[in-house]
Amino acid sequence: MSSDFSIVSAFNHALQSDLDIPMPIAAIFALSEMIAQSKAETTSELMESIKMASEEVKASLANPIPATAGLELFMRFVTTKNWAGGDFEAHKQNLIHAALEFANNTVPNCRERITHLLMPFIKDDSVILTHGYSRVVMQVLLSAAKVHGKRMSVYVTESRPTGQGLQTYKRLREEGIPCTVVLDSAVAYLMHRVDMCLLGGEAVVESGGIFNAVGSYQIGIIAKAAKKPVFAVAESFKFLRLFPLSQYDVPITARHLPLPTSEESYEAPEDNRMTPAMEAMNPLIDYTLPELLTFIVSDVGILTPSGVSDALLAVYGDN
């Protein structure tokens, strides 16, 4: 492999070249580029280089979960494409071609399928609550309004600390869809006005729960108490072989809130806003338990949380 090649740079370049590209697909593009420059002469050497590159990408990210799904999928893809001997360079080129074909064609097909499956659940005059910014959720909402002519209004949380809910708000307003930004802490107050909650997912795990922007878990709890349905939407390439048991099994280079030690530790600044240092102590994502989700809508179908393990088994087998 060329000494000038950086898997992290290739990954970041893939993300920057198309702002609509999901992290798992960017990971596949980056690993394909790595294989093109790899000097590996056997499958075992190639697998070892993929493992090292994958760890390097994950170590560079504050939240490596979305990329991890794509990295593991690529690894599975390589292991299932058996090399029967002969020209190993030709084998690598075949791997690259197949991986790029998958990456280039999968995203639009997945989102169109998800939109089609979810549309019957969105009724006229629906009030929908969403959280953060999800490209899949955005496509569903735009398609419902623009293609299917459904009347609806949307509440979107501010989604602290990233504030990505404001990005959702801006886009929906530009498209003429009635939308209101609400405080994360106002979700319980307005939940009884809501007909359904629509969440994206940075990853869908084997338990049937999801990793998503922090605050998703509390939305799930409040919605269940109010008997409101919660739909999670995610492409199948975001399915991840992981079985978390609690919030603290989230596999990120995460910040954990320290226990308070003194009044000085939490003294508020003069403008009564959190400082960047205070925000940095908070998590970016949380784990929404499977029992809080009504359905997970993916390109492989409308799944109950218990059906996710079967979908993962179809991809990864029993190993």
Side-chain angles (χ1 to χ4, degrees), residues 280-298:
M281 295 304 300
N282 285 268
L284 293 174
I285 64 171
D286 59 23
Y287 169 53
T288 303
L289 278 60
E291 56 264 31
L292 302 178
L293 301 175
T294 307
F295 290 117
I296 297 164
V297 184
S298 179

Side-chain angles (χ1 to χ4, degrees), residues 111-128:
R111 292 177 183 170
E112 288 174 11
R113 174 67 173 159
I114 291 169
T115 299
H116 172 75
L117 290 171
L118 190 60
M119 210 49 56
F121 295 96
I122 301 178
K123 308 300 182 183
D124 269 338
D125 299 314
S126 289
V127 179
I128 298 171

Side-chain angles (χ1 to χ4, degrees), residues 253-267:
T253 53
R255 304 143 323 168
H256 293 293
L257 287 171
L259 294 172
T261 55
S262 68
E263 290 300 322
E264 289 85 10
S265 300
Y266 288 87
E267 184 177 352

Side-chain angles (χ1 to χ4, degrees), residues 48-86:
E48 185 61 30
S49 62
I50 292 172
K51 288 178 183 177
M52 292 174 62
S54 297
E55 292 304 317
E56 193 174 342
V57 169
K58 288 188 282 188
S60 72
L61 299 170
N63 172 19
I65 288 175
T68 299
L71 295 167
E72 290 193 0
L73 187 61
F74 190 94
M75 179 74 76
R76 176 62 179 174
F77 173 75
V78 172
T79 58
T80 56
K81 299 291 183 181
N82 294 325
W83 176 47

Side-chain angles (χ1 to χ4, degrees), residues 174-214:
E174 288 173 349
E175 298 290 342
I177 298 175
C179 182
T180 302
V181 179
V182 298
L183 296 170
D184 296 342
S185 52
V187 169
Y189 174 83
L190 61 86
M191 184 58 75
H192 288 283
R193 299 180 181 178
V194 169
D195 294 309
M196 65 183 294
C197 301
L198 189 56
L199 302 177
E202 297 196 4
V204 179
V205 293
E206 196 169 355
S207 61
I210 61 169
F211 288 131
N212 198 41
V214 66

Side-chain angles (χ1 to χ4, degrees), residues 238-257:
K238 292 180 179 176
F239 285 24
L240 189 62
R241 289 183 300 173
L242 191 68
F243 204 106
L245 299 176
S246 75
Q247 297 299 319
Y248 308 108
D249 291 331
V250 179
I252 59 176
T253 53
R255 304 143 323 168
H256 293 293
L257 287 171

